[in-house]
């Protein structure tokens, strides 16, 4: 049996370790953040029943499925990319400083290009990103490309703007979308019944406290005709 003092010391070390972990920041500023580590994709069948070769094939199948999904989205003939963008905050825009070009909202304009908007709040309040489109359409879907899934769980509202400038909420709630570990981009996709009005703008609202860390968006695609 261990000496009681040794046990007490062990326990206090454990508690200290647990506390220390909690205090560590979850995310470093996106400006310098490396791409998230690629986690193995979840295999379709229980891993214990598969041979190593089968597991490897299942992993490759998941990667292929992601590639197929993304290719379909990126080349969707009914999809268009934003031509204008603005946001409620930009990483580094406090203290009277001009934010770096690598974080500004205009990085959301155009097709996915791995240049992103980064917000300036990890857990405080709400932020929004508003994008405009050249051709107003009767819309059926909005797709938001979120690098590394940074903030995908915190998306809280999607609004569509008609050609008169009126905003319509098409979804609000708690995002059920989680980081897609099969690829570097997580697609937040929201489908809805085709709008009777033509859509010229999309606004995404993020509840920062729902998923701590800086939020990033690469591009926003509007689907319709
Ligand atoms: Ca971009």
């Amino acid at each position: 049996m261990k000496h009681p003092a040794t046990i007490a010391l062990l326990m206090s070390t454990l508690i200290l370790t647990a506390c220390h972990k909690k205090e560590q920041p979850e995310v470093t500023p996106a400006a310098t953040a490396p791409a998230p580590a690629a986690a193995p994709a979840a295999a379709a069948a229980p891993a214990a029943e598969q041979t190593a070769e089968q597991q490897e094939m299942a992993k490759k199948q998941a990667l292929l499925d992601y590639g197929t999904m993304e290719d379909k989205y990126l080349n969707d003939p009914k999809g268009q990319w934003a031509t204008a963008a603005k946001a409620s905050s930009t990483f580094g825009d406090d203290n009277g400083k001009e934010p770096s070009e690598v974080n500004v909202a205009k990085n959301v304009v155009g097709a996915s290009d791995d240049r992103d908007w980064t917000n300036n709040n990890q857990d405080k309040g709400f932020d929004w990103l508003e994008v405009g489109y050249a051709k107003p359409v009767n819309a059926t879907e909005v797709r938001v490309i979120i690098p590394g899934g940074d903030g995908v769980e915190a998306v809280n509202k999607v609004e569509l703007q008609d050609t008169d400038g009126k905003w319509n909420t098409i979804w609000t709630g708690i995002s059920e979308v989680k980081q897609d570990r099969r690829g570097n981009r997580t697609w937040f996709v929201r489908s809805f019944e085709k709008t009777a009005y033509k859509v010229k703008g999309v606004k995404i609202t993020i509840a920062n406290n729902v998923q701590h860390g800086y939020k990033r968006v690469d591009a926003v695609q509007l689907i319709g005709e």
Side-chain angles (χ1 to χ4, degrees):
M1 184 182 162
K2 278 180 177 156
H3 191 276
T6 316
I7 293 170
L9 184 69
L10 267 170
M11 285 191 71
S12 63
T13 311
L14 283 171
I15 290 163
L16 273 173
T17 311
C19 290
H20 180 67
K21 271 186 181 162
K22 263 190 167 174
E23 285 164 7
Q24 281 180 337
E26 287 177 20
V27 176
T28 50
T32 53
E49 293 168 18
Q50 292 184 325
T51 64
E53 196 179 342
Q54 284 171 328
Q55 284 181 41
E56 184 61 23
M57 287 304 284
K59 188 178 156 189
K60 282 183 177 158
Q61 184 61 54
L63 298 175
L64 178 61
D65 290 347
Y66 175 88
T68 305
M69 172 201 81
E70 192 166 56
D71 186 65
K72 200 173 132 217
Y73 285 162
L74 291 169
N75 297 304
D76 192 336
K78 291 182 182 173
Q80 62 176 318
W81 302 101
T83 51
K86 57 182 177 178
S88 55
S89 80
T90 302
F91 181 78
D93 69 1
D94 43 11
N95 305 320
K97 283 186 291 190
E98 196 67 22
S100 161
E101 283 293 308
V102 301
N103 297 311
V104 296
K106 77 168 186 208
N107 291 337
V108 173
V109 170
S112 173
D113 60 359
D114 299 321
R115 292 187 306 136
D116 316 316
W117 163 67
T118 306
N119 79 335
N120 200 37
N121 295 296
Q122 298 208 58
D123 57 15
K124 205 182 294 167
F126 291 77
D127 272 305
W128 51 260
L129 173 71
E130 191 182 311
V131 293
Y133 294 88
K135 184 192 162 202
V137 289
N138 298 103
T140 57
E141 196 164 292
V142 168
R143 301 174 187 148
V144 185
I145 304 178
I146 301 182
D150 290 352
V152 71
E153 292 175 48
V155 177
N156 177 237
K157 189 157 68 172
V158 177
E159 292 165 276
L160 305 177
Q161 188 181 37
D162 69 19
T163 47
D164 293 328
K166 183 177 172 279
W167 287 100
N168 304 276
T169 302
I170 52 111
W171 173 80
T172 186
I174 293 173
S175 165
E176 77 289 356
V177 184
K178 299 204 182 305
Q179 180 190 358
D180 194 333
R181 295 181 182 273
R182 301 171 303 169
N184 286 335
R185 292 155 297 278
T186 295
W187 290 72
F188 178 91
V189 177
R190 202 51 50 180
S191 300
F192 39 86
E193 205 171 310
K194 187 189 269 191
T195 59
Y197 52 91
K198 298 273 187 188
V199 176
K200 69 167 186 175
V202 173
K203 187 175 180 180
I204 312 294
T205 301
I206 298 163
N208 287 313
N209 197 45
V210 176
Q211 184 183 3
H212 292 188
Y214 291 105
K215 282 62 179 185
R216 295 193 290 155
V217 174
D218 171 9
V220 184
Q221 192 179 34
L222 175 66
I223 316 303
E225 51 190 343

